[in-house]
Amino acid sequence: MPLVDTILSALWGITLESWSLFLEMAPYLFLGFTVAGLLHIFVPEEKIIKYLGESAGKIRSSLNASLMGIPIPLCSCGVVPTALSLQKRGATKGATLSFLISTPETGVDSISITYALLDPIMTVFRPLATLITALSAGIAENFLGKEKRTVALNKTAENKIPLNNNLLMTQPTAACEDSSCSCHVPSDNTELSGSQRLKEGMKYAYVELLGDISKWLVFGIVIAGIISYAVPYEVVHTYLGGGILSMLVMLLVGIPLYICATASTPLAAAFIAKGMSPGTAFVFLLAGPATNAATITMVTKFLGKRSAVLYLTTIAVCSLIFGLVLDMIYFRLGVEAISIVGSASEILPAQVKIVFALILIPLMIYGIYKH
């Protein structure tokens, strides 16, 4: 039957494309989760707040919050209660806003996957653009906002956000209605021995965190496989090849969409491979993970409408600016993004990629089953 054969052929083609993509990601994904586990157990969370409060200054508090958020692998939903917990403990509203932006846009896992699936230019540019975006929003909030509203917010947040000594992983309330946000409350490991803390960190990395994002990661890989197999190069190149209109389209798609930084990366790689300009893809990478409908609602509720408008405006404007800048960088360097996408991962032998993929698959299956 021709129709059945066509469907089976398409499914097989999508499977091969998705598997190829996963192989490229696996070693760097494994590395990213390892670093995330180490951060989880060694970052002195109880001391962080002194760098984010008013005593740190309006600029430095936002800078510290932006830098603090970059390596932490939290999604745009899971970061909301964590950020509000930081503010409740004395962080400025600007620092809170900076943390809200920098944390979901990047993480050690997404940075490593960016290197594997895209190229060194994008790997460096992504966290740098995130830092500037988060810092811009935080400074603007601290200088233009009315910090006296913080007291009222803190009282409200105290009733809404449960206390926890672990600032990086505060249990969410309305922000996360499922378990896909990397926002579980870990056990207190301050009294554990070094080996026990290491075990706790690896459990967090490869069971909790990997489990939290596994289904979204699989979703992103499959969608990227469909794009790679089914979408003609001419369609993407013609309609989303570059320019401000293409970037506006990706901005409108990315802002309300729930997708984590890790899962958005294979989609961007697939789009670039099909002819999308790197700047247009970057708009999606910056705006998509930073926001979604639930996050916007929570920011409006707890930080106020003006802060929510500033939050969205900064992300939108910076996404477009950095998208244009990135396209200019590739043009000035004479680099064709489509020709070097995934080139960094070629330094690893295929056997190494397969080993890491086979290690991750059962962990991801367990994570999906558990959640």
Side-chain angles (χ1 to χ4, degrees), residues 63-121:
L63 176 61
N64 291 339
S66 301
L67 291 171
M68 171 185 166
I70 285 177
I72 299 174
L74 275 176
C75 72
S76 55
C77 269
V79 72
V80 173
T82 308
L84 294 179
S85 177
L86 289 174
Q87 190 189 15
K88 184 182 182 305
R89 289 162 171 80
T92 64
K93 286 186 72 174
T96 304
L97 213 58
S98 293
F99 187 82
L100 275 170
I101 293 174
S102 69
T103 305
E105 285 186 351
T106 62
V108 288
D109 51 347
S110 60
I111 292 173
S112 61
I113 292 178
T114 302
Y115 181 77
L117 297 184
L118 296 170
D119 58 48
I121 298 174

Side-chain angles (χ1 to χ4, degrees), residues 121-180:
I121 298 174
M122 192 79 80
T123 304
V124 174
F125 193 82
R126 188 176 187 179
L128 181 61
T130 294
L131 174 64
I132 296 174
T133 303
L135 184 59
S136 300
I139 292 175
E141 175 64 44
N142 278 341
F143 279 96
L144 300 177
K146 298 179 180 180
E147 195 62 40
K148 63 183 181 180
R149 291 188 59 193
T150 302
V151 176
L153 170 66
N154 288 345
K155 292 181 179 179
T156 302
E158 186 172 1
N159 296 328
K160 299 291 183 180
I161 307 297
L163 294 177
N164 190 281
N165 291 330
N166 191 319
L167 298 181
L168 301 185
M169 292 291 162
T170 304
Q171 177 69 26
T173 53
C176 294
E177 296 181 356
D178 58 28
S179 58
S180 61

Side-chain angles (χ1 to χ4, degrees), residues 131-263:
L131 174 64
I132 296 174
T133 303
L135 184 59
S136 300
I139 292 175
E141 175 64 44
N142 278 341
F143 279 96
L144 300 177
K146 298 179 180 180
E147 195 62 40
K148 63 183 181 180
R149 291 188 59 193
T150 302
V151 176
L153 170 66
N154 288 345
K155 292 181 179 179
T156 302
E158 186 172 1
N159 296 328
K160 299 291 183 180
I161 307 297
L163 294 177
N164 190 281
N165 291 330
N166 191 319
L167 298 181
L168 301 185
M169 292 291 162
T170 304
Q171 177 69 26
T173 53
C176 294
E177 296 181 356
D178 58 28
S179 58
S180 61
C181 291
S182 309
C183 44
H184 300 301
V185 178
S187 59
D188 185 4
N189 56 27
T190 56
E191 302 298 327
L192 301 178
S193 65
S195 60
Q196 289 174 321
R197 292 176 66 194
L198 183 61
K199 181 179 178 181
E200 182 75 16
M202 294 304 101
K203 177 183 177 182
Y204 161 74
Y206 297 116
V207 178
E208 294 183 15
L209 181 58
L210 181 59
D212 287 340
I213 74 166
S214 286
K215 66 179 181 180
W216 296 106
L217 183 59
V218 171
F219 176 77
I221 292 173
V222 171
I223 295 299
I226 293 173
I227 293 171
S228 298
Y229 177 80
V231 178
Y233 170 86
E234 292 77 12
V235 172
V236 177
H237 182 70
T238 301
Y239 296 103
L240 296 173
I244 192 67
L245 291 179
S246 298
M247 294 178 187
L248 284 171
V249 170
M250 297 308 293
L251 185 66
L252 292 175
V253 170
I255 283 180
L257 184 67
Y258 175 80
I259 187 167
C260 68
T262 303

